[in-house]
Amino acid sequence: MSYNIAIDGPAGAGKSTIAKKVARNLDFIYVDTGAMYRAIALYLLRNQVKTENEERISHFAKLANVELTYINGEQQVILNGENVSGFIRTEQVGNMASVAAKNEDVRAQLLDLQRNLAQRENVIMDGRDIGTHVLPNADLKIYLTASSKVRANRRYRELQEKGMECNLEEIEQDIITRDKQDMERKIAPLKQAEDALLLDSSDMTIQEVVDKIVVLYHENCGR
């Protein structure tokens, strides 16, 4: 029987980084649902779909076939046969993904893939609505967050290390805007599940958060 860990939280909280490390520690499969939405967002941007055009978002989303594969233990995101893992982490794609995630057709298309994988394998899955909607019966649920200032600073350092020009205030404003979009969307909004454990990583290192989740897992499953 599979064991599922759900990690939810706002943009920039470190969900993906931490989930990957926990997955390696526990020998689980890591499922980055945000990357799946970003792949569809990339497809929408490539087809010059406007954020306000729900009908075209639905149309093009249905033409986007998103798959997950693993190479040397690393998740790869395949969009219509193309590995787009290196193209989906820009701010533009992230903002479009936040818009696309509000679309019912986009969410329905990805939901079956996510749930089927969780039924077959021990997975740790992160996103905005994993514990509340995608995997409501997950064995362990974590709501991971941090202040908007801390999240903006993390993103700022990440972009600087890549040699990209960026503005800290603009990054924080983007984060605040995305939080509002995610929390106010009609379909599966971002919120803490009633049975999720709150982890604020503002004053924690990545390893401290990873260690805490591993301890919670062992306490929860008695291993």
Side-chain angles (χ1 to χ4, degrees):
M1 187 174 179
S2 63
Y3 189 101
N4 298 162
I5 300 175
I7 299 182
D8 289 313
K15 300 185 299 296
S16 297
T17 299
I18 287 162
K20 288 177 185 177
K21 289 181 177 293
V22 173
R24 291 193 189 101
N25 187 297
L26 299 178
D27 197 25
F28 275 35
I29 289 177
Y30 165 63
V31 182
D32 179 3
T33 60
M36 298 166 72
Y37 284 103
R38 283 173 174 266
I40 287 185
L42 178 64
Y43 189 68
L44 296 174
L45 288 169
R46 286 178 171 180
N47 285 279
Q48 301 180 330
V49 177
K50 303 297 184 183
T51 57
E52 65 273 12
N53 195 326
E54 287 289 326
E55 186 175 338
R56 281 176 61 80
I57 289 175
S58 294
H59 171 73
F60 279 98
K62 292 173 183 176
L63 301 177
N65 180 39
V66 180
E67 299 176 282
L68 300 179
T69 62
Y70 294 84
I71 300 176
N72 297 325
E74 292 293 328
Q75 175 182 274
Q76 305 296 315
V77 184
I78 311 300
L79 170 64
N80 293 340
E82 175 192 358
N83 189 332
V84 296
S85 302
F87 303 103
I88 62 174
R89 296 300 176 184
T90 68
E91 292 297 311
Q92 184 184 23
V93 171
N95 290 332
M96 175 60 90
S98 184
V99 172
K102 295 184 291 185
N103 183 282
E104 188 172 355
D105 293 313
V106 173
R107 304 193 69 81
Q109 183 170 350
L110 296 179
L111 187 58
D112 284 344
L113 173 62
Q114 295 162 1
R115 286 179 173 169
N116 289 339
L117 184 57
Q119 287 178 351
R120 299 192 310 269
E121 307 284 352
N122 292 332
V123 303
I124 180 165
M125 194 178 295
D126 74 283
R128 303 289 192 276
D129 63 341
I130 308 305
T132 55
H133 182 66
V134 178
L135 300 178
N137 297 316
D139 302 279
L140 176 61
K141 299 179 185 179
I142 305 293
Y143 188 84
L144 182 65
T145 190
S147 70
S148 61
K149 184 177 291 293
V150 167
R151 288 184 280 145
N153 272 304
R154 290 172 180 170
R155 182 60 175 160
Y156 179 78
R157 290 195 298 270
E158 179 183 331
L159 293 173
Q160 279 200 319
E161 287 172 0
K162 294 179 180 179
M164 300 173 65
E165 293 187 7
C166 52
N167 180 283
L168 181 58
E169 291 183 359
E170 290 179 0
I171 292 173
E172 184 173 10
Q173 188 54 54
D174 278 346
I175 285 173
I176 292 170
T177 299
R178 286 178 62 186
D179 285 352
K180 187 173 187 295
Q181 289 176 341
D182 292 339
M183 291 176 178
E184 293 182 354
R185 68 189 185 203
K186 294 181 180 179
I187 304 170
L190 168 65
K191 64 179 180 179
Q192 181 179 342
E194 291 183 3
D195 53 346
L197 301 169
L198 176 65
L199 268 182
D200 189 325
S201 68
S202 297
D203 299 315
M204 298 174 71
T205 66
I206 290 173
Q207 192 57 49
E208 285 173 339
V209 178
V210 170
D211 291 344
K212 178 64 175 177
I213 295 175
V214 170
V215 168
L216 290 170
Y217 163 75
H218 287 298
E219 289 178 347
N220 189 54
C221 70
R223 300 180 188 177

